[in-house]
Amino acid sequence: MKKQLSSLRAKGVDKVMCTNPPKPKLAAEEPPGGVPPNVPSWCKDEPTGWYGASRFNQCFWEIQSVDWVEVDTGEIVGGMDFTHYRDMVLLWNKGEFTYGEHIWVHNEWGDWDPTTQIRFGGHCNPDCTATSVSGPKPLQFRTWLQFNVTLTAAVPANTVEDIWFDSELIWTTPTGGDFDQAVYVTDGPTDLRCDNGMLKGWSNTGCVFSDVWPTLTYKRSEVEEIVGHISRAQARGAPGNPAGGFPLTRMYDDADAQQNHDDACSYLTGSPPAGANCDEYPMAHTYEGAYTGGGSYPADFSAEWVNATQNSRAGGQYSAFAQAQRLLDKDAFFVKADMNS
């Protein structure tokens, strides 16, 4: 900035705004201003960087600041801090997502300009357009200023695309000319993925944060025998346990799924008990199954006789979970056998 002061001085600029790096913060620190409306409470506890609490929501916060610098002397003559939340929410079946910037200005001091305005812009590509960008707002202290943009992905049919996104938070002084502004550019998540018609059984467009591996939870109160089987299989080393180990990966091919089922169930002898049938783990529609995974029995895959009604119910829960989490072919996920629910 000091190298630019002489050229700014020659242009007749008296004072200029400057941005500063984010201030360090501790995990679980209570941010000034608390948590803004419509932002999940888990966001305040994240110490560093983007992260995903789900396949459809990411957020991050930090404390940043703006200084006013006297061009003639280079002296900082005023400034303010602001809590800065960023929150992105994906809509499962519309190919749309919303991005919000939430600003809480505080700790103002010295010679700052009360005419300052804040405006916001969001950008994304490819095959992505931004609409409904909220306009500039006047500077206010100790109140939440919220800026939103709605974005729509127009992904070609039967394709998957990674979407790039960033935003600008621009502080300007209307009377200050071209040089009296400060710009924060924020990169969005790197794992934003949209598809059009690639979810099995659906023809719509949808987006997820693909690096987030969701967990399918089976409850003992609903499918007790399935929960027991999965618990024993995972204890022997079968993949998919969220407490450690490798995830499972969704598989679409029905013929390979049938072969996974047949190969696993071939290890059971005799006839099934009354009202029972064969349950295989990992599930047939995963690449870790008995046939597609190429593992050994019973360390890598397992089969047991279980109540047929519970088995059917568990299969339905898996299908509903894969749809709700928008699991495409080869997407990773975990399976939790909840013995306490």
Side-chain angles (χ1 to χ4, degrees):
M1 183 63 194
K2 291 182 179 179
K3 295 179 180 179
Q4 300 177 20
L5 291 180
S6 58
S7 62
L8 293 172
R9 193 177 302 116
K11 295 178 183 292
V13 179
D14 297 324
K15 189 169 55 178
V16 66
M17 280 188 288
C18 299
T19 62
N20 294 303
K23 298 184 177 183
K25 64 182 189 295
L26 302 175
E29 176 184 354
E30 183 69 25
V35 180
N38 305 318
V39 171
S41 60
W42 50 257
C43 186
K44 74 173 185 177
D45 296 328
E46 172 59 15
T48 57
W50 283 98
Y51 83 118
S54 75
R55 297 269 282 182
F56 304 99
N57 190 194
Q58 289 192 8
C59 86
F60 174 56
W61 73 272
E62 59 192 358
I63 298 175
Q64 299 171 325
S65 62
V66 173
D67 291 335
W68 274 263
V69 177
E70 188 70 45
V71 172
D72 284 341
T73 64
E75 179 185 2
I76 299 175
V77 295
M80 58 189 64
D81 294 335
F82 62 98
T83 306
H84 187 189
Y85 275 85
R86 302 189 290 276
D87 182 48
M88 180 175 281
V89 180
L90 311 181
L91 302 182
W92 175 85
N93 61 350
K94 293 185 177 181
E96 293 181 357
F97 43 102
T98 60
Y99 179 83
E101 302 264 3
H102 310 264
I103 308 300
W104 176 280
V105 185
H106 60 283
N107 287 347
E108 70 278 11
W109 66 276
D111 188 13
W112 47 269
D113 194 326
T115 68
T116 298
Q117 293 183 348
I118 308 171
R119 60 187 175 90
F120 164 75
H123 316 279
C124 63
N125 65 62
D127 297 314
C128 182
T129 57
T131 60
S132 305
V133 180
S134 52
K137 297 184 179 182
L139 177 66
Q140 299 180 58
F141 294 102
R142 285 165 290 281
T143 187
W144 284 110
L145 301 176
Q146 182 172 342
F147 302 84
N148 294 99
V149 58
T150 300
L151 304 107
T152 302
V155 181
N158 302 316
T159 59
V160 180
E161 289 186 343
D162 294 326
I163 303 296
W164 170 86
F165 174 83
D166 73 7
S167 67
E168 292 179 339
L169 189 66
I170 305 169
W171 300 64
T172 61
T173 302
T175 59
D178 294 338
F179 299 98
D180 206 357
Q181 70 174 24
V183 181
Y184 284 93
V185 178
T186 302
D187 290 331
T190 59
D191 61 337
L192 175 56
R193 184 196 73 194
C194 297
D195 76 273
N196 182 354
M198 298 299 287
L199 179 64
K200 188 174 185 179
W202 290 79
S203 59
N204 61 352
T205 300
C207 304
V208 299
F209 297 118
S210 57
D211 286 352
V212 177
W213 297 346
T215 298
L216 167 61
T217 299
Y218 284 121
K219 297 181 179 181
R220 184 179 182 182
S221 59
E222 296 175 348
V223 285
E224 181 176 6
E225 294 188 13
I226 307 302
V227 168
H229 178 203
I230 294 173
S231 179
R232 288 185 288 274
Q234 290 181 346
R236 292 192 298 266
N241 190 341
F246 296 99
L248 303 179
T249 46
R250 173 75 166 161
M251 186 183 70
Y252 279 4
D253 190 278
D254 291 329
D256 282 348
Q258 184 62 52
Q259 195 64 55
N260 278 337
H261 173 80
D262 293 345
D263 284 9
C265 293
S266 68
Y267 285 86
L268 297 181
T269 60
S271 300
N277 60 12
C278 174
D279 175 45
E280 76 286 342
Y281 181 85
M283 295 87 88
H285 277 94
T286 66
Y287 282 97
E288 292 69 34
Y291 170 67
T292 53
S296 60
Y297 180 88
D300 301 305
F301 63 89
S302 176
E304 291 187 10
W305 300 121
V306 299
N307 178 274
T309 300
Q310 292 185 26
N311 203 5
S312 177
R313 184 180 301 136
Q317 290 175 356
Y318 175 37
S319 296
F321 165 82
Q323 173 189 312
Q325 297 297 323
R326 204 168 185 92
L327 292 180
L328 302 188
D329 191 65
K330 295 185 172 66
D331 275 1
F333 67 98
F334 292 101
V335 177
K336 178 180 179 180
D338 190 349
M339 301 291 290
N340 300 313
S341 63

